[in-house]
Amino acid sequence: MIVSESASLTTLIAGVGGQGVVLAGGVLAQAALLSGYDVRQSEMHGLSQRFGSVSSQIRIGKGLYSPHRGHGAVDLLVSLEGYEAFKQLPFLRAEGTALVNRLWRKPIPAKPTASVELPELDDPRVVWFAGTELTQQAECPRSLNFFMLGVLSTRLDIDEAHWHEAIETSTSKGGRDVNHEMFVAGRRKAL
């Protein structure tokens, strides 16, 4: 998806606490800034320290004012976890795309007797990726967020060099190489 002079593009990144949703949103925002776009970012932390919902909206374009879009207005949804993807689907436009990692963490029900069933998986807007499996095979499961950023990068008009520069400036020296590696792996899987 290309951001034009008169339009903006909104990406919603969703997951659970500890998956690096906020960091992923920051890397996307930084890469877009390096590409010369205006950027607005909002975050919803929820119960992030207890595996609760975490989301971040990143708007990219020119002349942006609001950091947040409502139901039916998000262009791209990137989810690090399946249940969170389906919770956020109402935000996705009818023509939007959801890039979803195939990981299911059963949410804790509000009542002990309540049962949680898998949502319908036939939404044509959803594209599935085996990010958890691939990052575990590579022995770097904490870089799932960078794998999914690599997937996302194939859908945006942001130069790959800007992505790598954003990863370089947003992560610690110890994790940079593996984060770059997982980003590239995500790009390969999405192409």
Side-chain angles (χ1 to χ4, degrees):
M1 295 187 163
I2 298 172
V3 179
S4 69
E5 289 292 323
S6 61
S8 65
L9 182 128
T10 303
T11 301
L12 187 150
I13 302 175
V16 295
Q19 288 185 309
V21 169
V22 174
L23 176 59
V27 170
L28 169 55
Q30 181 66 20
L33 283 170
L34 291 168
S35 295
Y37 294 113
D38 291 341
V39 177
R40 297 291 180 267
Q41 181 178 3
S42 68
E43 300 164 1
M44 297 294 292
H45 292 275
L47 299 171
S48 60
Q49 294 184 1
R50 295 188 180 144
F51 299 102
S53 296
V54 180
S55 66
S56 180
Q57 280 196 28
I58 303 89
R59 296 194 62 216
I60 302 167
K62 298 289 182 189
L64 301 174
Y65 300 103
S66 170
H68 189 77
R69 300 287 294 194
H71 283 203
V74 169
D75 301 293
L76 291 165
L77 167 62
V78 177
S79 185
L80 307 180
E81 198 275 334
Y83 282 110
E84 293 301 317
F86 284 94
K87 283 171 47 179
Q88 301 296 336
L89 271 179
F91 286 95
L92 193 61
R93 293 181 327 130
E95 310 81 29
T97 302
L99 309 170
V100 182
N101 175 44
R102 194 176 292 279
L103 170 69
W104 297 96
R105 287 194 172 147
K106 188 173 181 178
I108 299 168
K111 297 178 183 177
T113 57
S115 65
V116 178
E117 300 198 15
L118 283 176
E120 289 296 317
L121 304 178
D122 61 355
D123 191 312
R125 301 173 297 172
V126 177
V127 181
W128 293 95
F129 294 91
T132 298
E133 180 182 326
L134 293 167
T135 55
Q136 287 178 347
Q137 286 174 357
E139 297 182 3
C140 44
R142 292 181 52 86
S143 294
L144 172 64
N145 53 346
F146 289 95
F147 176 87
M148 292 305 290
L149 280 175
V151 169
L152 172 65
S153 72
T154 65
R155 307 283 177 132
L156 299 176
D157 188 27
I158 296 175
D159 190 273
E160 188 175 352
H162 292 149
W163 284 102
H164 286 289
E165 185 177 344
I167 292 169
E168 189 77 18
T169 60
S170 300
T171 59
S172 66
K173 187 175 182 178
R176 282 187 194 134
D177 291 342
V178 73
N179 291 336
H180 283 293
E181 183 182 323
M182 288 298 98
F183 175 84
V184 170
R187 281 185 66 85
R188 277 195 305 260
K189 281 294 177 189
L191 291 176

